Amino acid sequence: MPSLPEKPLSNVPLQLHQPKNFQFDSVPESHAWRDLHDHPTVDPIGPDTVPLIDLTDPKLTAKISKACEEWGVFQITGHGVQPDLLTRLEAQIHRLFALSADRKLKTAKSPGDVSGYGLVPISSFFSKLMWSAGFTISGSPLHHAQKLWLDDYSSFCDVVEEFDNVMRQLGNKLLHKILLSLGLSKEDIIRACPVRDWHDMSAAVQLNSYPPCPDPDRTIGLAAHTDSSFLTLLYQNSVSGLQILRSKDHTGPMRWVTVPPVPNTFTVNIGDLMHVLSNVRFRSVMHRAMVNPAKHRISVGFFCGPPMDVKVGPINKLTGPERGPVYRPVTWQEYQRLRRKLFDKALEAIKIGEEIA
Ligand code: OGA
Ligand code: NI
């Protein structure tokens, strides 16, 4: 993990934080990171290959269970999302990030805003800037799209809304499969799952742009973090960059494993709220994004969580005499507030017996 800053970015005036269009010949001091090589990086081969799971596999539940226990992440095929939708979404994302910095800044997030253009929320914990720009969509994108494009804004909104709809259904299906893979029955899930159907799910879409970088070993696209969601589905274009932190095991020491882009797949990772719901059986996974010397990388994160007003705690059936409930129940909103304050200490803060916030 990169060290915490001496001077958090939240003390710097807003306009100075906003990403420009990355036209640098070398990595400026503002974007030069130390501590990036805290653990070795390994190629995705042999036992360091993130599991690839076909959602139509008859042994799906067992495969998901193994992947969540050993990795906290897997890639999926057989998900039913049309490649054409992903192609159209990708085109709109390129169109957005190709706009002038001034135009994009018309939708800049102010502190406390969820939606809009700007730095990812974890930026405020670091003294260095990341080599990326982001655009977050929570709710309808219409208001922002009208500021980005004075005329043709509906093609962006239509694709984002279509994607949101399809991904909510896929996210809900995966959530239920993950709960089945924890050994719960369908009846247990009806009783305990905070999301009744896909209309209920809270979700946010994060568009990420990682411009090519002249010296990619000196900077980072997105610093190491876990997601606060139940689960995140990530789509990446054909440029690699996503890395997962794998724990020390019989095959090697703690290491960063690259998740290669496989066409028409999503990468599914366990977030902090699933870590809570599963009472620590499925751990949220630390991940980060590196940048490429020649190619523009884009990714889309789809974060799935409970309805905003529903408290999530360890499912009763998953607690027992050897392991009582490890965390107290929280809403997603409350947990996000803790993350903004405490970043990687937020989970500890809701540990029963160790509440510090
Ligand atoms: C995220 C994330 C990784 C990537 O948006 O939370 O982890 O590869 N993105 O862009
Ligand atoms: Ni993430």
Side-chain angles (χ1 to χ4, degrees):
M1 279 288 304
S3 49
L4 285 178
E6 308 92 59
K7 179 166 68 78
L9 274 174
S10 47
N11 295 339
V12 178
L14 177 71
Q15 289 308 314
L16 292 181
H17 304 187
Q18 297 300 339
K20 297 289 178 202
N21 274 349
F22 292 90
Q23 266 131 23
F24 305 120
D25 298 330
S26 62
V27 172
E29 250 330 284
S30 56
H31 292 70
W33 286 63
R34 280 176 286 274
D35 306 331
L36 292 178
H37 307 292
D38 49 353
H39 303 292
T41 299
V42 297
D43 287 330
I45 44 175
D48 281 327
T49 313
V50 171
L52 179 64
I53 300 180
D54 182 344
L55 294 189
T56 62
D57 190 321
K59 299 207 185 86
L60 182 61
T61 313
K63 290 202 168 163
I64 290 182
S65 176
K66 189 164 186 294
C68 289
E69 238 150 38
E70 290 177 6
W71 284 85
V73 61
F74 51 96
Q75 291 184 295
I76 54 168
T77 59
H79 46 66
V81 179
Q82 292 304 314
D84 165 67
L85 172 58
L86 300 173
T87 308
R88 283 183 287 128
L89 179 67
E90 225 178 287
Q92 290 295 333
I93 297 171
H94 281 294
R95 184 171 164 242
L96 187 162
F97 287 109
L99 291 169
S100 70
D102 285 348
R103 177 58 61 185
K104 286 180 285 196
L105 284 170
K106 294 202 185 304
T107 63
K109 279 190 244 184
S110 299
D113 283 356
V114 177
S115 300
Y117 176 70
L119 303 177
V120 288
I122 63 170
S123 302
S124 60
F125 292 97
F126 301 95
S127 58
K128 297 290 182 173
L129 289 161
M130 299 178 207
W131 199 272
S132 57
F135 190 90
T136 314
I137 304 163
S138 168
S140 167
L142 180 64
H143 176 67
H144 280 148
Q146 282 173 329
K147 291 188 182 165
L148 291 169
W149 297 284
L150 301 178
D151 42 23
D152 182 16
Y153 49 82
S154 54
S155 55
F156 177 84
C157 295
D158 291 349
V159 174
V160 167
E161 274 163 26
E162 188 180 338
F163 180 74
D164 184 74
N165 238 300
V166 167
M167 296 302 281
R168 272 170 195 273
Q169 295 177 58
L170 178 59
N172 193 45
K173 175 172 165 182
L174 277 163
L175 177 62
H176 282 79
K177 297 289 178 201
I178 290 174
L179 294 176
L180 282 175
S181 77
L182 280 161
L184 299 173
S185 66
K186 290 205 165 118
E187 293 70 37
D188 294 332
I189 295 175
I190 291 170
R191 215 171 306 121
C193 180
V195 180
R196 300 251 163 264
D197 76 21
W198 62 276
H199 296 281
D200 260 7
M201 177 178 273
S202 299
V205 181
Q206 173 73 27
L207 312 179
N208 298 307
S209 162
Y210 303 97
C213 174
D215 195 357
D217 285 339
R218 286 190 69 217
T219 192
I220 194 150
L222 190 54
H225 66 282
T226 59
D227 295 338
S228 70
S229 51
F230 274 149
L231 51 100
T232 304
L233 285 88
L234 189 92
Y235 172 73
Q236 36 180 351
N237 73 347
S238 57
V239 184
S240 123
L242 176 65
Q243 295 183 338
I244 297 296
L245 188 61
R246 208 154 180 212
S247 310
K248 178 173 183 291
D249 59 9
H250 64 281
T251 63
M254 197 179 258
R255 58 216 184 266
W256 288 107
V257 177
T258 301
V259 186
V262 180
N264 299 319
T265 62
F266 293 96
T267 304
V268 181
N269 72 263
I270 296 294
D272 288 354
L273 283 191
M274 180 55 72
H275 187 116
V276 171
L277 196 69
S278 72
N279 206 29
V280 196
R281 254 196 63 202
F282 291 170
R283 290 168 188 274
S284 49
V285 64
M286 186 72 87
H287 54 284
R288 66 181 187 178
M290 307 308 279
V291 286
N292 187 282
K295 294 184 194 150
H296 184 188
R297 174 166 187 266
I298 59 160
S299 71
V300 186
F302 191 83
F303 300 91
C304 303
M308 277 301 172
D309 54 346
V310 171
K311 282 201 177 215
V312 174
I315 292 179
N316 260 341
K317 264 233 158 143
L318 302 175
T319 65
E322 336 70 272
R323 187 181 279 163
V326 178
Y327 299 104
R328 69 171 170 87
V330 276
T331 63
W332 198 9
Q333 215 160 24
E334 187 186 350
Y335 188 66
Q336 281 170 335
R337 251 198 313 272
L338 281 172
R339 287 262 308 202
R340 278 196 291 275
K341 198 159 112 195
L342 303 169
F343 187 39
D344 55 348
K345 307 285 183 298
L347 263 182
E348 255 163 72
I350 58 164
K351 224 174 190 168
I352 288 174
E354 288 181 33
E355 282 117 301
I356 57 171

